[in-house]
Amino acid sequence: MKRINVIALAVLLALSCSSYVKGNETRCVVNTLTINHTTNPLGIDNQTPLFSWQLNCQARGIKQKAYQILVASSPELLRDDTADLWNSGKITSDETINIPYAGKILVSEQHCFWKVKIWDQNGKESKWSSTSQWSMGFLSQSDWKAQWIGLDRIEGKDLTKNEHTRLSARMLRKEISVPKQLKQATAYVCGLGLFEWSINGNKVGSQVLAPALSEYGKRAYYMTFDVTNYLKKGQNAIGVVLGNGRYFSPRASASFFGYPKLLFQLNLEYTDGSKELVVSDSSWKLTTEGPIIANNEYDGEEQDATKEMPGWDKSGYNDSAWKQAESVNPGAPLLCAQPSAPIKVMETIKPISVKELKPGVYIYDMGQNMVGWARLKVKGTRGSKVTMRFAETLQPDGSLYVANLRTANVTDIYTLKGQGTEIFEPHFTYHGFRYVELTGYEGTPDLSILDGQVVYDNLPLTGKFETSNAMINTIYKNAYWGIRGNYHSIPTDCPQRDERQGWLGDRAVGSKGESFVFDNSRLYAKWLQDIDDAQREDGSVPDVAPTYWKIYSDNVTWPAAYPVIANMLYDQYGNVTPIKTHYDSFRKWILYMKDHYLKDGILVKDTYGDWCMPPEEPKLIHSNDPARKTSGEILSTSYYYYLLTLMQRFATLLNKPNDAAEYDQLASVIYMAYNQKFFDKENGCYGNNTATANLLSLAYNLVPEENKKAVFENVVNKTENDFHGHISTGLVGAQWIMRMLTQYGRSDIAYKLVTNTDYPSWGYMAEHGATTIWELWNGDSADPAMNSGNHVMLLGDLVIWFYEDLAGIKSDPDAPGFKNIIMNPAAAGNLNYVNASYNSSRGLIKSDWKKDNGHFDWNITIPANASATVYVPAKSEEEVKENGREVSKSEGITFLQMEEGKAVFKVSSGTYRFSSLY
């Protein structure tokens, strides 16, 4: 009997792997429901939220033919299939993502519940999905009944000391009565610059360093919390602690927006139908004499536990010594629901070693350059101080190397209260570090007393990537740590020194590579709003957003990130909303640059050049060699031409044919002028023949067809000969080099670049101890003034290349959001296998290939309701097998053509096992 069951199970497994949907034999499960790319969001302020779901189907070839969405105001109504808000009816459509709400007008604080079912291509109806929900926040500023409260002044403490701002945390409390049984309690909170809060001594939520950063002169973000289970019948206490963040600037010379302040509104709904409102006003109590005596994002946090106030956020506490909170100026002109995921402690890591450098000075090695803070367990005498300082690297004598931190003190200080084991971790600062210097510890510390709290935006991990090459795997791991460490409600340039800004140019193309690793759709959509808010009335777009550093250089290559990232969100997530939202701002900037800087078809304004290309001497930050530098006019004009092609695409998507024609006409003028001025016909190159000049010309389709081969050969010659098989580009050229080399048939050179271990290369960084990505190719020898150990800008298109070219997982721009997947892996160099997956908006995509002695084996998975164009290395169609049989006998596969040594197939959804001789 047991043997029969095993055989039956094997048959069932085989059928599940190879069956193709026919008639009514397979039913799909509808799952992974999201609203605005979020599971069960609270407090959204968009009246046309976007619905998405995925299909979980075992059989091949599943396609959605129609769907029906039900939205109700209660789960009870939804269970009865009663949709009092929206019944879409049966909609004939194969779309499963970004479907806009089209029901009754939504109102503030409304709770909504929804479910969906689909019909497949054979008319088979699925079951209803499980119920998901969302709630509305405030749709009008008039919904706020609360007052901004705080103290708009210094309270007996120095504001500055050599430019270093210093301010203690402000603590606020309010006792309230809950006289009867609660049905629902919802809080809306904006604490600027940063806040943490609690009810009855219990912290509310797991977010840290909240709320999200913003262009405070235009808007700030509030957060919504369901606190029904935090409150009890009778007396309750609310406690809020306010930190400085970027609102109260960490440097006196940077943008200053005001003093920490609070806007708080709590809506209580009782089971008897009555409601009550609790708001921030002058009845709240406030003190600046709490234990957080200083907090500064760059300099660290100081806590004095002898100043703790036990029970301050519980009912019954004697707050007679506290001040009355004051009504203060509004924190921002506009309050919006935070659209991006909160920052959280995402991982805890343990140190790998501790060494006593000299008596009382201990150096902890976390084994990884990380972002967050150290949590310390300590015992000691009341009033004694323990100090932690942080750094990315060590000096030869084993002490911290802090020269690259500039003016950032990166120091956390804790004064003990002397009561047993005490746990210290900061609340309103963070650090980029691998090493921790501990001083003032009583006794001999060991590894158990300290751990690292890894902090970044709570983004789902979407990608996995592994190859047979250990160095590629190490570089990918370093990229992963660098990317997530620089997610801080904006994509920052670095996490350790006195900068930590949202430089646009650092993330233009890099954002796409990141999207394979993390679902960054909400983060980047939010950042586009920051950029929009920072745009000047005349159209100028800043180089940094939010503009905590106000830099409007009217460069092209940096502000280009604004439309480039919107395009990425469309390609990767199928979301056209950012393009719709920001189109007018894009156009305003494009026309501004044309009117101010376009001269005879050439865009003459450039600021940064090909930033951080490898210099001729190891101590230099920037090259002084004219032969290595790419003309600023080539950079700006080629970029501007590319942006016009994006604007044509956007105008077409938004049905603006006149705009599209205008961009096309201007692009034609630039194309002619660019080639007339910069193309060297004799040598087949652009400008002074840098790799970057030629790469951009190729990537942006500025090269006439008959000259492309010659121009590309100059890229090859520059790389192979002049730079001895090494990369020669900076930030700008690196955004295209790996893909262009592969597109033009030289994936072997791309492979060489990524596996090099001598200077300059990503492998050189890893060989010299890097566990993230450096800011400079020569980050171990250049001037420390600009020498971050945790930047991602020099990744360029490397992570895109890993997924799109090595793994062969690429979204078809004609069917965005991975509706159709282009799977064309480059078996580069001596790679024996690549095993990768990407959890797209439509479902999981897998690509796992191996090659050995002329045999190519490839397992792929295509999510339901999607398709793929698959390129299998082979000499003919007949040499390709699927699951051990002729492809023509496998369901879900259609042969298209032979192309450059590969058999090309159209493949429907499902799991496939290809094999071939090549």
Side-chain angles (χ1 to χ4, degrees), residues 482-488 490-495 507 790-792:
I483 291 166
R484 68 175 182 161
N486 280 292
Y487 283 158
H488 188 77
I490 61 172
T492 59
D493 63 328
C494 62
R507 298 303 183 96
N790 192 352
H791 257 63
V792 295

Side-chain angles (χ1 to χ4, degrees), residues 735-793:
Q735 296 183 25
W736 291 100
I737 189 166
M738 302 299 285
R739 288 177 292 170
M740 286 296 100
L741 286 169
T742 303
Q743 179 180 321
Y744 282 87
R746 294 307 303 269
S747 62
D748 59 316
I749 300 177
Y751 184 75
K752 183 187 297 185
L753 297 184
V754 76
T755 54
N756 281 334
T757 57
D758 56 341
Y759 174 81
S761 66
W762 300 286
Y764 176 82
M765 300 178 192
E767 287 287 293
H768 287 74
T771 58
T772 44
I773 304 297
W774 293 344
E775 181 177 17
L776 305 175
W777 295 111
N778 53 333
D780 58 337
S781 60
D783 188 326
M786 201 183 85
N787 207 346
S788 160
N790 192 352
H791 257 63
V792 295
M793 66 183 191

Side-chain angles (χ1 to χ4, degrees), residues 387-519:
T387 300
M388 293 184 289
R389 292 198 306 148
F390 303 84
E392 296 180 306
T393 55
L394 299 176
Q395 300 193 81
D397 66 357
S399 62
L400 299 184
Y401 177 79
V402 297
N404 69 326
L405 303 180
R406 299 176 180 167
T407 69
N409 289 337
V410 296
T411 302
D412 292 341
I413 302 172
Y414 181 69
T415 302
L416 281 73
K417 59 189 172 186
Q419 298 177 7
T421 299
E422 302 176 43
I423 296 178
F424 164 62
E425 60 181 316
H427 298 267
F428 301 121
T429 191
Y430 71 97
H431 309 287
F433 66 99
R434 174 172 174 171
Y435 300 97
V436 185
E437 177 196 82
L438 177 67
T439 58
Y441 187 90
E442 297 180 16
T444 302
D446 60 21
L447 292 176
S448 69
I449 67 148
L450 184 147
D451 58 38
Q453 302 293 290
V454 181
V455 174
Y456 59 98
D457 293 39
N458 183 22
L459 305 182
L461 184 67
T462 52
K464 293 182 180 180
F465 180 83
E466 182 186 13
T467 77
S468 59
N469 185 281
M471 179 52 68
I472 290 178
N473 296 340
T474 296
I475 293 169
Y476 180 80
K477 179 174 178 282
N478 290 358
Y480 162 77
W481 276 93
I483 291 166
R484 68 175 182 161
N486 280 292
Y487 283 158
H488 188 77
S489 79
I490 61 172
T492 59
D493 63 328
C494 62
Q496 74 295 93
R497 66 189 182 208
D498 57 355
E499 188 167 356
R500 313 180 193 193
Q501 302 290 338
W503 285 94
L504 273 67
D506 293 22
R507 298 303 183 96
V509 167
S511 63
K512 183 176 181 179
E514 296 163 23
S515 74
F516 284 105
V517 187
F518 296 98
D519 180 352

